[in-house]
Amino acid sequence: MDPKRLTSGSQQQAWLRKKRTRREWRPLEDRSCTDLPWFLLFAIFCVGMGAICSFTIVTGGAGRLVFGYDSYGNTCGRRNEQIEGFRLSGLDHTDRKFVFFLDPCNVDIVQRKIKSMALCVSLCPTEELQTYEDLKRFAMLNGSELCSYELAAHKYPSLPERFSKCPKLPVPPSKPLPVFNRCTPVDISCYGKFAEAVVTFVGDNSVLHRLIAGVAASKEIIIGLCVFALVLSMILMVIIRYISAVLVWILTSLVILGSLAGTSVLWWLYIDHRLYGNNTATSKVTKDMKEEVQVSRDSGQALLVYAVAATVFTIILLLLMLFMRKRVALTIALFHVAGKVFIHLPLLTLQPFVTFLALLLFWIYWILVLLFLGTTGNPVQNEETGLTEFRLTGPLQYLTWYHAVGLVWISEFVLACQQMTVAGAVVTYYFTRDKNRLPVTPILSSVLRLVRYHLGTVAKGSFIITLVKIPRLILMYIHNQLKGKENACARCLLKTCICCLWCLEKCLNYLNQNAYAATAINSTSFCTSARDAFVILVENALRVATINAVGDFVLFLGKILIMTTTAFAGVLLLNYQRDYAEWLLPLIIVCLFSFLVAHCFLSVFEIVVDVLFLCFAVDTKYNDGTPGKEFFMDKALMEFVESSRRLERVVERVVERGRGRVKDAVSEGAEMKPMAPGTSSA
């Protein structure tokens, strides 16, 4: 065989292999499913979550939670079967549909539950019952016996067991709780201790009542201010591109002026201390003043160290601002383009609503199943109270842990779906040259691509976050349980581990977000996309640092702006209330809600900026603006690239002139160099 032909054949195969593995970094029309095994694993896990719910319903846990059960293991409102070994179980409570607590104010603050004996009754007492005669009369007239089942109603006033098996007098009026059929006191003042334990800053019940009254009186204003914060957040997402430059340069000026002022103050304090110290040193110093003089010298040295450190920090900061001003300009350009994205893709503003609704529905389902698990299992007699409770025993105890893992994984999965949806829409916008030819609904197209091709990638990325978050939550729980019991070394070690896991989680979140954007572009698996995105980010490390530092602070200022504006509007609207103590809780609620809303909306804006930067980095890496390699970027980013190129050309010319001058100087020196002795011709 001809070796030349063999060589050319191997080169051709290598070229074909390279061409086949090379990705164009453009949204692909022909897509394929990514990370299918992880989608199957996630689907199996969700089936397990559903099986837990089915188990609680079949075993009666859901029924006991909804209909309630008494302290003997009987479910109210139905016929019960005898539980072996448990007294007064297996009763027919078809006509007794409500749960009545003998002492509803006996609240366990630690466990946050009522420790009182519970009975199934046919009617809740609507009026206050002050004596046992009233209990007897109520039972005889309404057929609702409020004492334990073995006590005869007509003997209530004379039975010795009435003090332990009848309700605590006086019995407050109550009404049934909707859906859950519990008799709850009309006056909730008996829960004051529980409220004080939950709301620790309230030390007086009167203060608590005034705060609650303030919320009740201002509920319309609170709702209006929450809607106002919502509208402000949506408006800010559109107009932030016009004010981003002002915010960035204000931030830069404040940082520079603050560092210069801090450094000047430290040097002034040091000089003033030095002059005062010299005056003290020249005067006569007694033995009693020697220690004071020594302390003064140590303070002077400390001030000198602080002043020098501040000076070094200020110089480094000024140099960073000088060399990174181009990257700050890139951040402003990205904010400008991100504002355009929201104009072309208005459905992006609805993304926080959809995500919040999905999370809310899942959390409600999760809490309900958790409550079902709390009333599921085998009947056990509480050794402390003697009441019957239902607990999971044996291997069934791990169902709660499985359910807890599901909370983290599925919540992260929903958030990852939002990131992938936004990334897909932004990628479509960026890589479409003619913006008038965008799809009718890029958001819906991105959702369909996600559901059809990339659910496995989202499941894998969210699982990685879950692997980091669960150990951190466990360590936080251990730290709270051991608070005040562990030594200083163990406390420091726990906090260090929690902090490291938190930092790792934030880094993985950022990498995952860029991996989803790479998947939206290339339709590659999670690991391949994460690797490609990581390479791009490392190549643009300084740009990434600038965008994250400056951009995050600008968005934080936006959140603070929305919160303070809403709070100011709240103060104006609440001004008619003369009792200023009633302002506190409504304003706190409004401020928290406004900051939460601003965070949700501006987090979507932050995702858009990060995806735009990845697309920009890919665009500048694989295209140079020449025919056949035209840029996809927006006009604002194109202007940034052109200005950067002009600056680079100026720098290159300056460097070339400098090199030319150095060469001329070297050549002139060589010509003027005298000949060495002994080398002259004869």
Side-chain angles (χ1 to χ4, degrees):
M1 185 178 291
D2 188 1
K4 294 183 178 180
R5 185 177 299 175
L6 180 63
T7 304
S8 61
S10 61
Q11 290 177 350
Q12 186 176 7
Q13 291 178 359
W15 181 80
L16 290 173
R17 192 182 303 113
K18 182 178 180 181
K19 182 179 179 181
R20 195 163 49 244
T21 58
R22 180 172 175 243
R23 287 182 294 279
E24 294 296 333
W25 279 97
R26 292 178 59 182
L28 302 179
E29 297 297 333
D30 299 329
R31 290 180 173 266
S32 59
C33 293
T34 55
D35 298 296
L36 185 59
W38 281 94
F39 170 70
L40 296 177
L41 178 63
F42 181 74
I44 294 172
F45 183 85
C46 291
V47 170
M49 293 283 291
I52 293 177
C53 181
S54 302
F55 172 77
T56 59
I57 295 175
V58 170
T59 56
R64 280 189 286 269
L65 176 69
V66 175
F67 299 108
Y69 65 97
D70 60 18
S71 298
Y72 303 106
N74 302 296
T75 303
C76 299
R78 61 176 60 182
R79 186 186 298 272
N80 297 275
E81 297 181 359
Q82 175 70 33
I83 303 175
E84 186 177 355
F86 288 85
R87 188 174 61 89
L88 295 179
S89 62
L91 300 178
D92 184 5
H93 286 334
T94 307
D95 297 329
R96 299 175 177 178
K97 299 181 179 180
F98 304 106
V99 180
F100 176 75
F101 297 97
L102 302 189
D103 186 9
C105 296
N106 186 8
V107 178
D108 186 350
I109 295 178
V110 177
Q111 300 295 329
R112 293 178 175 85
K113 64 180 182 180
I114 298 175
K115 298 172 62 177
S116 168
M117 177 185 289
L119 300 173
C120 294
V121 298
S122 57
L123 187 66
C124 300
T126 56
E127 298 179 356
E128 186 179 54
L129 306 177
Q130 299 181 351
T131 65
Y132 292 104
E133 287 291 341
D134 294 340
L135 291 177
K136 172 185 173 181
R137 189 179 306 108
F138 180 80
M140 301 302 292
L141 292 177
N142 302 294
S144 182
E145 300 176 355
L146 303 183
C147 295
S148 187
Y149 306 129
E150 71 270 22
L151 302 183
H154 63 280
K155 296 182 180 180
Y156 282 171
S158 59
L159 290 174
E161 297 92 343
R162 66 183 184 276
F163 299 107
S164 60
K165 296 186 178 181
C166 285
K168 183 179 179 181
L169 297 178
V171 179
S174 60
K175 59 182 180 179
L177 190 68
V179 180
F180 291 101
N181 301 323
R182 269 71 170 179
C183 295
T184 56
V186 177
D187 184 10
I188 61 172
S189 60
C190 65
Y191 297 130
K193 294 182 179 179
F194 182 72
E196 290 176 18
V198 177
V199 188
T200 54
F201 65 87
V202 178
D204 185 7
N205 284 340
S206 61
V207 176
L208 177 64
H209 287 305
R210 289 169 64 191
L211 292 177
I212 295 176
V215 174
S218 311
K219 56 182 181 295
E220 294 85 1
I221 296 177
I222 294 174
I223 295 174
L225 289 173
C226 292
V227 175
F228 178 66
L230 192 65
V231 175
L232 275 182
S233 301
M234 298 176 68
I235 294 174
L236 184 62
M237 292 173 69
V238 178
I239 68 171
I240 196 171
R241 67 184 178 123
Y242 300 109
I243 64 174
S244 58
V246 177
L247 292 177
V248 168
W249 293 121
I250 288 176
L251 165 65
T252 305
S253 303
L254 288 177
V255 170
I256 294 175
L257 292 176
S259 59
L260 290 174
T263 304
S264 302
V265 168
L266 286 174
W267 279 113
W268 177 77
L269 290 174
Y270 170 72
I271 294 173
D272 182 71
H273 187 275
R274 186 72 179 270
L275 294 175
Y276 175 76
N278 289 336
N279 293 334
T280 305
T282 54
S283 61
K284 294 183 180 180
V285 180
T286 63
K287 293 182 180 180
D288 297 335
M289 297 175 61
K290 286 184 178 180
E291 294 183 359
E292 184 178 350
V293 172
Q294 184 63 32
V295 171
S296 178
R297 291 177 180 175
D298 293 340
S299 300
Q301 293 177 356
L303 283 174
L304 178 61
V305 172
Y306 296 154
V308 171
T311 303
V312 173
F313 173 78
T314 302
I315 293 173
I316 294 175
L317 182 64
L318 291 175
L319 292 176
L320 285 176
M321 292 295 180
L322 178 64
F323 289 110
M324 297 182 70
R325 64 186 185 278
K326 289 194 304 179
R327 295 173 180 85
V328 173
L330 174 60
T331 304
I332 297 173
L334 287 174
F335 271 63
H336 186 79
V337 178
K340 288 185 178 180
V341 170
F342 281 96
I343 293 177
H344 286 88
L345 310 178
L347 289 181
L348 275 178
T349 56
L350 299 179
Q351 196 63 36
F353 292 106
V354 177
T355 303
F356 178 75
L357 180 62
L359 286 175
L360 182 63
L361 292 176
F362 169 68
W363 289 341
I364 292 174
Y365 164 82
W366 188 87
I367 291 173
L368 283 177
V369 176
L370 182 66
L371 294 175
F372 292 166
L373 286 172
T375 55
T376 302
N378 301 320
V380 178
Q381 193 169 19
N382 191 314
E383 297 179 357
E384 180 182 354
T385 61
L387 308 179
T388 302
E389 299 176 353
F390 290 88
R391 298 177 185 173
L392 294 171
T393 57
L396 295 178
Q397 294 178 352
Y398 297 104
L399 292 179
T400 306
W401 287 99
Y402 188 96
H403 195 60
V405 173
L407 172 66
V408 180
W409 191 5
I410 296 179
S411 298
E412 292 295 331
F413 177 83
V414 173
L415 294 175
C417 286
Q418 171 185 305
Q419 294 175 354
M420 178 70 86
T421 301
V422 174
V426 174
V427 164
T428 302
Y429 171 85
Y430 187 94
F431 287 101
T432 301
R433 297 186 188 278
D434 187 1
K435 307 306 180 187
N436 295 323
R437 295 186 177 181
L438 283 170
V440 179
T441 53
I443 295 292
L444 296 181
S445 301
S446 180
V447 171
L448 292 177
R449 285 198 303 268
L450 166 64
V451 174
R452 186 174 179 181
Y453 299 111
H454 304 311
L455 284 179
T457 299
V458 172
K460 186 175 183 179
S462 57
F463 181 76
I464 292 174
I465 300 298
T466 303
L467 287 181
V468 179
K469 178 167 285 188
I470 288 179
R472 182 172 66 86
L473 294 176
I474 293 175
L475 290 178
M476 291 175 63
Y477 174 78
I478 294 174
H479 179 261
N480 290 330
Q481 292 297 315
L482 297 179
K483 187 173 292 184
K485 300 178 182 178
E486 78 278 19
N487 55 31
C489 182
R491 182 169 59 253
C492 180
L493 183 61
L494 275 175
K495 289 184 177 180
T496 302
C497 293
I498 293 171
C499 181
C500 292
L501 288 174
W502 181 83
C503 294
L504 178 61
E505 180 184 337
K506 293 300 179 182
C507 294
L508 288 176
N509 265 321
Y510 183 73
L511 182 60
N512 281 9
Q513 180 178 306
N514 286 278
Y516 299 146
T519 299
I521 297 173
N522 292 324
S523 187
T524 51
S525 64
F526 176 81
C527 291
T528 304
S529 300
R531 182 193 63 200
D532 295 340
F534 181 76
V535 171
I536 293 292
L537 294 176
V538 170
E539 291 174 353
N540 298 269
L542 290 178
R543 287 176 172 177
V544 172
T546 306
I547 291 171
N548 286 334
V550 178
D552 289 352
F553 192 82
V554 170
L555 294 179
F556 176 75
L557 289 180
K559 298 172 188 178
I560 298 298
L561 175 64
I562 292 173
M563 186 181 70
T564 52
T565 304
T566 308
F568 180 71
V571 170
L572 294 179
L573 293 175
L574 293 170
N575 189 36
Y576 73 91
Q577 295 183 1
R578 297 304 177 189
D579 190 354
Y580 296 105
E582 297 180 0
W583 287 23
L584 179 61
L585 199 54
L587 278 180
I588 290 176
I589 293 174
V590 167
C591 290
L592 290 178
F593 184 83
S594 60
F595 187 85
L596 177 63
V597 169
H599 175 74
C600 292
F601 278 89
L602 294 182
S603 294
V604 175
F605 190 91
E606 184 180 2
I607 295 173
V608 172
V609 171
D610 290 337
V611 175
L612 283 174
F613 172 72
L614 184 68
C615 295
F616 170 78
V618 170
D619 197 8
T620 54
K621 180 177 181 179
Y622 292 96
N623 300 308
D624 55 9
T626 58
K629 290 186 176 181
E630 294 86 359
F631 288 120
F632 289 92
M633 64 185 66
D634 188 86
K635 182 180 178 181
L637 293 174
M638 190 77 73
E639 292 175 354
F640 168 77
V641 172
E642 292 298 330
S643 63
S644 299
R645 287 182 173 179
R646 286 195 298 268
L647 183 60
E648 289 176 358
R649 286 195 292 267
V650 171
V651 173
E652 288 177 358
R653 285 197 295 267
V654 172
V655 172
E656 288 178 359
R657 289 177 183 175
R659 290 178 179 175
R661 291 177 181 176
V662 171
K663 289 181 180 179
D664 294 341
V666 171
S667 60
E668 289 178 2
E671 292 177 359
M672 296 175 62
K673 185 178 179 181
M675 300 180 63
T679 60
S680 60
S681 58

